[in-house]
Amino acid sequence: MGLFLEIAVAAPINHTLTYSYDGRRRLQPGLRLLVPLGPRRLTGYLLDISEKKPQGDYPIKAITDILDQTPVFPANMISFYRWIADYYHYPLGEVIKGALPGGLACRSGREILLTTRGEKKIIPSGEDQKKKWLLTLCRNKKLPPRTVGKLWRGRNRRILLKWQEQGLITINEVIIGPTCKAKTEICVGPVEGKTADNLKKSEQKTLNLLTGLLSDDRKTIPRRDITRRYSGAGKALKSLAAKKIIFFEEKEVYRDPFGERPPAFAEPNVLSCGQKKALAEILPAIKAKKFKPFLLHGITGSGKTEVYLRGAQTALKMGRTVLVMVPEIALAAQIEGHFFSRFGSLVAVLHSGLSKGERFDQWQRILRGRARVVIGARSAIFAPLADPGLIIVDEEHDPAYKQEDLLRYQARDLAILRASQQHCPVILGSATPSLVSYHNAGQGKYQLLNMKKRIHDRPLPKVEIINLRKQPPVNGRPPLFSPQLIRALTDNLKQHNQSMLFLNRRGFANLVICRDCGHVVQCRNCRVSLTMHKKTAALICHYCGYTIKSAVVCPNCRSGRINEVGFGTERVEIELKKLFPQARIGRLDRDTTTKRADFIKILKEVREGRIDILVGTQMITKGHHFPNMTLVGIIWADGGLGMPDFRAGERTFQLLSQVSGRAGRGEKEGRVIVQTHQPDHYSITTAGDHDYQEFFSRELSLRASLNFPPYGRLINIKFSGKNEDLVKKSALELYEKIKEISRVRKVSLLGPAPAPLARIRRQYRWQLLLKGNTINSLHEVAIFSREHPPAPVRAGKVKLFIDVDPENML
């Protein structure tokens, strides 16, 4: 019997497609299939199966191949994927492709083979000798699909088609398979009951080595383990297998992503009053198997992690699974220690710091039910858990939960959606909840749980605000360290306590300027200044990675009189070493922790007392527990207040409160010194007073007057392209198209205007902000914009992106 399959293809198509299947094998939703699409073949994801032919008089193509034996995602994820595609205006097939581990998609491609005639006719000379692909073709007699794909999209396509007509080359269609799959290795084991007589010396030695490595729970061992120990084992193993004394088998190898295990944490014997009250609400909701969103507002050091662990324990006892989300990979390493200590090998991790192979293996462990607790950054929301019993979003306020390119999803919001679809509670935890979440709790959408005291009733640190405008200048500039901060650091070192200095800017100097003409040295790809990095003697763009040597002359007037202006964590570290040469100083930012192992190493050194002063960016602000950290210094508290973003005040308050919370978490009291040029700004004063309620009421009144979230809703329509005039034209043209529908739907249009970061990675950027009271009216305007794009967008010269609920206005 013929079947009809609903399939989402991995291509920019905003609807699903129907294909036929002869029914030879039983199919399940969640499988990957190879399907034809025009002249190509590419990966499709099976969503539904029907015996009934869909309405409409059009030909239905048959699928080409079945790529999986078992589904690569659970069927209960399909409604989740559909909602995401609709809400974020993104092709469903691309949603699923982005959710799965990288490298799983198959597609058709082209390879080029040089004919005998072509070998004689195609001989590179002159300018042709600069074409690498042409030299490769002549040398190897063929070009691989990846190279051909690049040529096919460019000007060389006509040349290749002409050569094909002339019989100089052959262009073949090939299937480009997945670049990621299970890793396997050859293992060796003895055949039971087989005696080994009259063996050669090398065979007997190899057999003795094999049996010596085996154990009761290990029936086979990797072949390489034997050949490493004895060089003659390779030949001996073959002869032993021929005599049927041993056997070979191929086994799947697990690629361990953890490396050095995070530190272990003991389970507390007694819970605090705040922890007990929170769990009294959360645990019954887990047992009831019903959707219930909790906002856990616990001050820094109140023990939110233990609440997460007890909740996870209850869900696991019920046979369900747990998803734990953290905003950054760095924080994942911290919380891993707690969950490994409690749940061991049941824990899996999913984040962008894993290799393709490691991520594939973690995905398979989760899919097969071997891992029942998943910890990860925002992409972990797509973890293939069949039956989640609890979802946890730690530091729910963090903007890192928002994906800023391709599928622009908000993982915190998707956690709430997934919990509602899976009928389980979700915990949003934070010491500084986002304004929207706290407002939702006030409106009854979430249940608010407060934890207002630290563990063992330890006091919050005392905060001293230093007005930098009143500090005497050093070489005509404001000082990097105020006298009060220097004295505090000196005292802390004498008392053998640890200190932390926070500055949310890395590098040595954030600006390099010519003293003669005032020209600022900028990135050639982005309209931003380059940041000086002393250690590498380089000027680096933090957006695209463009790098030049720091010994530059002014590109405007050719003067060599270049000044370094501003400061970053690298400069703070260097200045500290001058002030305190005897101190052990560590730095934690993206420059010093390119790998997970680097991050764990620095944290371990802090925890073991081998670092006296830790300098860092926002990576040090959240979740870390250092009992001997008694002093926190904030170098420049108002650095984010000047950002062109309505959330600037909220972000500043959250950062200051979070980093202040690293002080005084042990037996000794903590102290915080905040250096600022705006000591009276409410974001700074309320953070200094540890007064979230006062900040919330002040910020909320400002949002209400401007109808910004949580009162109004936003969608940002973004345009980008290499031609600035076409990008501007697209933005203005769309504005004219949607003016009338926006007026009818009562949607305000802000812009169009250049983005604050007007050029990034050689792409000019404009944006048009939609603001309204209901999300449905905004979606109607966004759908109209997508279906009636400006001419340059239709021509493919400008890209249009729809960002629903934008977090970053830059």
Side-chain angles (χ1 to χ4, degrees), residues 9-12 19 32-45 64-67 94 97 102-111 143-153 172-180 356:
V9 295
Y19 290 87
R32 292 176 306 134
L33 309 172
L34 193 65
V35 298
L37 183 66
R40 299 176 295 159
R41 285 177 286 172
L42 69 169
T43 299
Y45 306 100
T64 303
D65 198 5
I66 302 167
L67 300 176
E94 298 280 88
K97 180 183 176 182
L104 287 185
C106 293
R107 57 186 173 85
S108 62
R110 300 174 181 84
E111 69 172 5
L143 285 178
R146 180 174 292 183
T147 304
V148 178
K150 292 178 181 178
L151 296 172
W152 208 255
R153 293 188 293 270
N172 297 327
E173 184 185 8
V174 294
I175 299 299
I176 304 170
T179 58
C180 185
K356 281 186 179 181

Side-chain angles (χ1 to χ4, degrees), residues 170 336 386 465 530 563 587 618 681:
T170 302
E336 279 168 22
I465 296 177
L530 296 174
N563 258 13
R587 178 158 57 95
Q618 63 179 359
H681 194 284

Side-chain angles (χ1 to χ4, degrees), residues 112-348:
I112 292 177
L113 302 178
L114 193 62
T115 65
T116 305
R117 185 181 179 192
E119 290 181 36
K120 298 175 181 176
K121 294 284 186 178
I122 301 176
I123 302 172
S125 61
E127 288 295 314
D128 286 344
Q129 289 184 327
K130 295 180 181 179
K131 297 177 180 178
K132 290 183 179 179
W133 67 268
L134 187 55
L135 297 175
T136 302
L137 175 63
C138 295
R139 181 176 63 251
N140 299 337
K141 309 294 187 289
K142 65 178 182 179
L143 285 178
R146 180 174 292 183
T147 304
V148 178
K150 292 178 181 178
L151 296 172
W152 208 255
R153 293 188 293 270
R155 298 176 181 176
N156 293 298
R157 180 175 178 174
R158 290 183 180 178
I159 297 173
L160 296 174
L161 290 172
K162 184 179 178 181
W163 285 354
Q164 185 183 35
E165 289 178 7
Q166 295 172 348
L168 305 180
I169 60 172
T170 302
I171 303 176
N172 297 327
E173 184 185 8
V174 294
I175 299 299
I176 304 170
T179 58
C180 185
K181 57 185 179 180
K183 183 180 179 181
T184 60
E185 66 181 358
I186 301 299
C187 292
V188 184
V191 176
E192 289 187 19
K194 188 75 175 180
T195 57
D197 299 322
N198 302 319
L199 295 180
K200 297 177 183 177
K201 186 176 179 180
S202 62
E203 292 174 336
Q204 188 64 57
K205 184 176 179 180
T206 300
L207 191 59
N208 292 342
L209 188 57
L210 170 62
T211 53
L213 292 171
L214 295 171
S215 60
D216 292 339
D217 58 344
R218 198 181 186 197
K219 304 302 181 184
T220 62
I221 61 168
R223 180 182 180 276
R224 56 187 170 83
D225 285 0
I226 302 173
T227 55
R228 281 175 183 171
R229 288 173 170 82
Y230 174 42
S231 59
K235 187 176 180 180
L237 286 170
K238 288 182 181 179
S239 59
L240 288 169
K243 296 175 182 180
K244 297 186 178 180
I245 295 171
I246 65 166
F247 65 91
F248 293 114
E249 70 174 2
E250 190 175 23
K251 278 192 172 182
E252 192 172 318
V253 180
Y254 169 60
R255 286 162 281 210
D256 187 355
F258 299 109
E260 182 181 349
R261 286 292 189 268
F265 293 89
E267 182 175 352
N269 296 321
V270 181
L271 295 178
S272 71
C273 182
Q275 289 172 323
K276 289 177 182 176
K277 286 182 178 179
L279 287 168
E281 299 290 339
I282 293 169
L283 298 186
I286 296 172
K287 293 172 182 175
K289 296 185 177 181
K290 290 183 179 179
F291 168 62
K292 193 167 187 179
F294 294 98
L295 178 61
L296 182 59
H297 182 198
I299 64 169
T300 55
S302 59
K304 294 186 290 296
T305 303
E306 187 59 32
V307 173
Y308 303 155
L309 289 163
R310 299 287 174 109
Q313 206 165 31
T314 300
L316 291 173
K317 283 180 181 177
M318 295 173 63
R320 303 189 81 185
T321 54
V322 179
L323 173 59
V324 184
M325 296 178 60
V326 292
E328 298 180 26
I329 299 170
L331 201 55
Q334 175 74 9
I335 209 166
E336 279 168 22
H338 290 280
F339 278 83
F340 267 114
S341 299
R342 207 71 58 94
F343 306 118
S345 61
L346 290 178
V347 177

Side-chain angles (χ1 to χ4, degrees), residues 20 23 60 68 122 130 181 262 264 326 338 344 384 410 459 504 508 523 588 648 709 764 769 789 800-801:
S20 64
I60 297 177
D68 301 303
I122 301 176
K130 295 180 181 179
K181 57 185 179 180
V326 292
H338 290 280
Q410 167 53 266
N504 204 24
F508 181 83
C523 173
L588 192 61
Y764 292 95
L769 190 65
L800 183 150
F801 305 99

